[in-house]
Amino acid sequence: MFRRQKAPPVWVWLTVVTWLAYLVDCTPLTSSECPSKETTSTGDCCLQCPAGWGVQSRCSAVNNTICTQCYNDITFSSEPSHTAGCMPCRRCARNEFVIRSCNITHDTLCECRRNYFHTADGSCSQCNTCPPGFGTTVACNTYQNSECDFCSNGTYSDVTSATNDCVPCSMCPEGTVVLNTCTRFSDTVCSDKALSTTVAYHPASQTPDTVSRAIDGRSPSIVPIYCAILAFVVIGLLGYVVFKRWSFRRVKLRSHSKQTRSPPGSPSKVDIEKACSGKNSSKKTTADFSSLASVNTRPSDQTPLMAVPSTTLYRDLPTATRSEVESLLGISRLDRRDWRGLAHELGFTDKDIVHFIKSSHEDLPVHRILTVWSDGEGAVVSVLVAALQRLNRQDVLKKLPVIA
């Protein structure tokens, strides 16, 4: 015999009905007439946030869409939407430069630097360079790497480049002689008409060595002249040194002879100077003590670091003080008693910290954190000092003397 199954308890039915009612209240209704294709329970179309605005609270059966404006140079929204929020602006990579800055409706537009091209993954990679003897069949550009091929007959390349092609060889003008023919690595070298005439003037009976010696004889070497000038300079320096030593020895002998000719028992110049110095020693000592006393009684030029009231706004502190605080807190630490810990102490979340990192261009993230915090209400020095005390950053507290 089959057993009759019991009906579910009443509380189960109540739970199911409650969840169904909740889903009906939270889920917007579909509609083909609305641009967003969804409506509330009252029949109102779900609003779409325009470009430059993002969704803060999505549309439901009870409430319509709530939008918030994007931040210029930080977030953007390029098209209307009733579901998407503001997107963070892109930052150009190291091998890119900014063509168009980010605003609330458009993202940052970046371009590869010179001799770099966009790869398949969107990054910029350095173009191939063609060595001497090779030219570019495809020059490097923003969207394509360079391609190289060796220079054919009648062309050459003597540079390393990612954009230059092989250059046609030069032709020597009429009346000149080719000294070096064109190769893949160098251009043609031509001589002038006068040199070719001088070489052709010699009789055919002379050997090539005789001709080369005759050509070399027209321009004598200047190396011997340089050697002769250098020899004269060295000899002159040696003579100057000998003359100075001889003059010094002569003066020394003359002074010694004067001291020898002085009559016996007469005081010398050294004794007179010692006697004079002995008489004036007491006066000099008195003058020295008076000068030391005057020095010790001078007021100090150094002014001690002035403390500021605890109610002073952080943005009113001197720029040098704020720079020292930011430089000390900007160094990351393993114990997180750095700018990240300060951000948490000042009420920022991990999502805010990521946002500060992305929005910091040339400055440290701590500069961005303290700038945003100082723009709010209650950003006084005492709040910052309390946060630093909780982090046990005594080195930073020394830079912020506060009057309670």
PDB file of all heavy atoms in Angstrom, residues 17 29 85 110 173 176 225 243 251 254 261 331 375:
ATOM      1  N   VAL A  17       6.749  32.337  -0.748  1.00  0.00           N
ATOM      2  CA  VAL A  17       5.991  33.518  -1.176  1.00  0.00           C
ATOM      3  C   VAL A  17       6.777  34.798  -0.909  1.00  0.00           C
ATOM      4  O   VAL A  17       6.784  35.734  -1.722  1.00  0.00           O
ATOM      5  CB  VAL A  17       4.629  33.531  -0.451  1.00  0.00           C
ATOM      6  CG1 VAL A  17       3.909  34.858  -0.714  1.00  0.00           C
ATOM      7  CG2 VAL A  17       3.760  32.370  -0.909  1.00  0.00           C
ATOM      8  N   LEU A  29      10.916  45.200 -14.941  1.00  0.00           N
ATOM      9  CA  LEU A  29      10.147  44.525 -15.974  1.00  0.00           C
ATOM     10  C   LEU A  29      10.717  44.836 -17.345  1.00  0.00           C
ATOM     11  O   LEU A  29      11.289  45.908 -17.576  1.00  0.00           O
ATOM     12  CB  LEU A  29       8.678  44.987 -15.898  1.00  0.00           C
ATOM     13  CG  LEU A  29       7.988  44.803 -14.526  1.00  0.00           C
ATOM     14  CD1 LEU A  29       6.585  45.370 -14.577  1.00  0.00           C
ATOM     15  CD2 LEU A  29       7.978  43.337 -14.131  1.00  0.00           C
ATOM     16  N   GLY A  85      28.974  51.375 -14.726  1.00  0.00           N
ATOM     17  CA  GLY A  85      29.467  52.537 -14.004  1.00  0.00           C
ATOM     18  C   GLY A  85      30.615  53.198 -14.746  1.00  0.00           C
ATOM     19  O   GLY A  85      30.962  52.835 -15.875  1.00  0.00           O
ATOM     20  N   CYS A 110      46.646  56.559 -26.550  1.00  0.00           N
ATOM     21  CA  CYS A 110      48.103  56.450 -26.521  1.00  0.00           C
ATOM     22  C   CYS A 110      48.624  56.042 -27.893  1.00  0.00           C
ATOM     23  O   CYS A 110      47.915  55.428 -28.700  1.00  0.00           O
ATOM     24  CB  CYS A 110      48.554  55.425 -25.473  1.00  0.00           C
ATOM     25  SG  CYS A 110      47.952  55.769 -23.796  1.00  0.00           S
ATOM     26  N   PRO A 173      81.484  62.240 -61.731  1.00  0.00           N
ATOM     27  CA  PRO A 173      81.278  63.153 -62.868  1.00  0.00           C
ATOM     28  C   PRO A 173      82.391  63.015 -63.899  1.00  0.00           C
ATOM     29  O   PRO A 173      83.446  62.420 -63.651  1.00  0.00           O
ATOM     30  CB  PRO A 173      81.279  64.531 -62.200  1.00  0.00           C
ATOM     31  CG  PRO A 173      82.005  64.360 -60.918  1.00  0.00           C
ATOM     32  CD  PRO A 173      81.743  62.962 -60.476  1.00  0.00           C
ATOM     33  N   THR A 176      86.740  62.940 -63.716  1.00  0.00           N
ATOM     34  CA  THR A 176      87.252  62.470 -62.435  1.00  0.00           C
ATOM     35  C   THR A 176      87.548  60.981 -62.528  1.00  0.00           C
ATOM     36  O   THR A 176      87.155  60.305 -63.478  1.00  0.00           O
ATOM     37  CB  THR A 176      86.244  62.722 -61.300  1.00  0.00           C
ATOM     38  OG1 THR A 176      85.021  62.048 -61.609  1.00  0.00           O
ATOM     39  CG2 THR A 176      85.964  64.219 -61.143  1.00  0.00           C
ATOM     40  N   ILE A 225     108.112  67.891 -37.766  1.00  0.00           N
ATOM     41  CA  ILE A 225     107.939  69.247 -37.250  1.00  0.00           C
ATOM     42  C   ILE A 225     107.327  69.201 -35.851  1.00  0.00           C
ATOM     43  O   ILE A 225     107.777  69.916 -34.929  1.00  0.00           O
ATOM     44  CB  ILE A 225     107.050  70.065 -38.213  1.00  0.00           C
ATOM     45  CG1 ILE A 225     107.725  70.159 -39.586  1.00  0.00           C
ATOM     46  CG2 ILE A 225     106.774  71.457 -37.658  1.00  0.00           C
ATOM     47  CD1 ILE A 225     106.876  70.862 -40.627  1.00  0.00           C
ATOM     48  N   PHE A 243     116.562  76.945 -13.606  1.00  0.00           N
ATOM     49  CA  PHE A 243     116.746  78.353 -13.262  1.00  0.00           C
ATOM     50  C   PHE A 243     116.083  78.692 -11.933  1.00  0.00           C
ATOM     51  O   PHE A 243     116.656  79.428 -11.113  1.00  0.00           O
ATOM     52  CB  PHE A 243     116.176  79.218 -14.385  1.00  0.00           C
ATOM     53  CG  PHE A 243     116.164  80.682 -14.067  1.00  0.00           C
ATOM     54  CD1 PHE A 243     117.351  81.429 -14.094  1.00  0.00           C
ATOM     55  CD2 PHE A 243     114.985  81.314 -13.702  1.00  0.00           C
ATOM     56  CE1 PHE A 243     117.340  82.772 -13.781  1.00  0.00           C
ATOM     57  CE2 PHE A 243     114.973  82.656 -13.393  1.00  0.00           C
ATOM     58  CZ  PHE A 243     116.151  83.401 -13.427  1.00  0.00           C
ATOM     59  N   VAL A 251     119.343  83.001  -3.292  1.00  0.00           N
ATOM     60  CA  VAL A 251     118.731  83.840  -2.264  1.00  0.00           C
ATOM     61  C   VAL A 251     119.024  83.275  -0.875  1.00  0.00           C
ATOM     62  O   VAL A 251     119.296  84.017   0.083  1.00  0.00           O
ATOM     63  CB  VAL A 251     117.220  83.940  -2.527  1.00  0.00           C
ATOM     64  CG1 VAL A 251     116.521  84.636  -1.362  1.00  0.00           C
ATOM     65  CG2 VAL A 251     116.962  84.695  -3.815  1.00  0.00           C
ATOM     66  N   ARG A 254     122.537  84.132   0.131  1.00  0.00           N
ATOM     67  CA  ARG A 254     122.706  85.550   0.422  1.00  0.00           C
ATOM     68  C   ARG A 254     122.184  85.888   1.819  1.00  0.00           C
ATOM     69  O   ARG A 254     122.807  86.648   2.564  1.00  0.00           O
ATOM     70  CB  ARG A 254     121.975  86.369  -0.641  1.00  0.00           C
ATOM     71  CG  ARG A 254     122.184  87.876  -0.504  1.00  0.00           C
ATOM     72  CD  ARG A 254     121.464  88.592  -1.615  1.00  0.00           C
ATOM     73  NE  ARG A 254     122.017  88.188  -2.912  1.00  0.00           N
ATOM     74  CZ  ARG A 254     121.483  88.570  -4.077  1.00  0.00           C
ATOM     75  NH1 ARG A 254     120.384  89.317  -4.088  1.00  0.00           N
ATOM     76  NH2 ARG A 254     122.039  88.173  -5.214  1.00  0.00           N
ATOM     77  N   ARG A 261     127.575  88.085   8.871  1.00  0.00           N
ATOM     78  CA  ARG A 261     128.328  89.329   8.979  1.00  0.00           C
ATOM     79  C   ARG A 261     127.838  90.222  10.115  1.00  0.00           C
ATOM     80  O   ARG A 261     128.434  91.236  10.409  1.00  0.00           O
ATOM     81  CB  ARG A 261     128.223  90.107   7.663  1.00  0.00           C
ATOM     82  CG  ARG A 261     129.012  89.467   6.526  1.00  0.00           C
ATOM     83  CD  ARG A 261     129.204  90.462   5.392  1.00  0.00           C
ATOM     84  NE  ARG A 261     127.916  90.909   4.858  1.00  0.00           N
ATOM     85  CZ  ARG A 261     127.295  90.302   3.844  1.00  0.00           C
ATOM     86  NH1 ARG A 261     127.839  89.227   3.292  1.00  0.00           N
ATOM     87  NH2 ARG A 261     126.157  90.780   3.391  1.00  0.00           N
ATOM     88  N   ILE A 331      57.478  55.675   1.284  1.00  0.00           N
ATOM     89  CA  ILE A 331      58.297  54.464   1.187  1.00  0.00           C
ATOM     90  C   ILE A 331      57.475  53.281   1.697  1.00  0.00           C
ATOM     91  O   ILE A 331      57.019  53.274   2.836  1.00  0.00           O
ATOM     92  CB  ILE A 331      59.589  54.620   2.008  1.00  0.00           C
ATOM     93  CG1 ILE A 331      60.391  55.832   1.521  1.00  0.00           C
ATOM     94  CG2 ILE A 331      60.424  53.357   1.920  1.00  0.00           C
ATOM     95  CD1 ILE A 331      61.599  56.128   2.359  1.00  0.00           C
ATOM     96  N   ASP A 375      40.984  68.042   1.282  1.00  0.00           N
ATOM     97  CA  ASP A 375      39.874  68.780   0.684  1.00  0.00           C
ATOM     98  C   ASP A 375      38.556  68.555   1.429  1.00  0.00           C
ATOM     99  O   ASP A 375      37.578  69.272   1.200  1.00  0.00           O
ATOM    100  CB  ASP A 375      39.700  68.380  -0.790  1.00  0.00           C
ATOM    101  CG  ASP A 375      40.850  68.880  -1.650  1.00  0.00           C
ATOM    102  OD1 ASP A 375      41.517  69.828  -1.209  1.00  0.00           O
ATOM    103  OD2 ASP A 375      41.087  68.318  -2.727  1.00  0.00           O
TER     104      ASP A 375
END
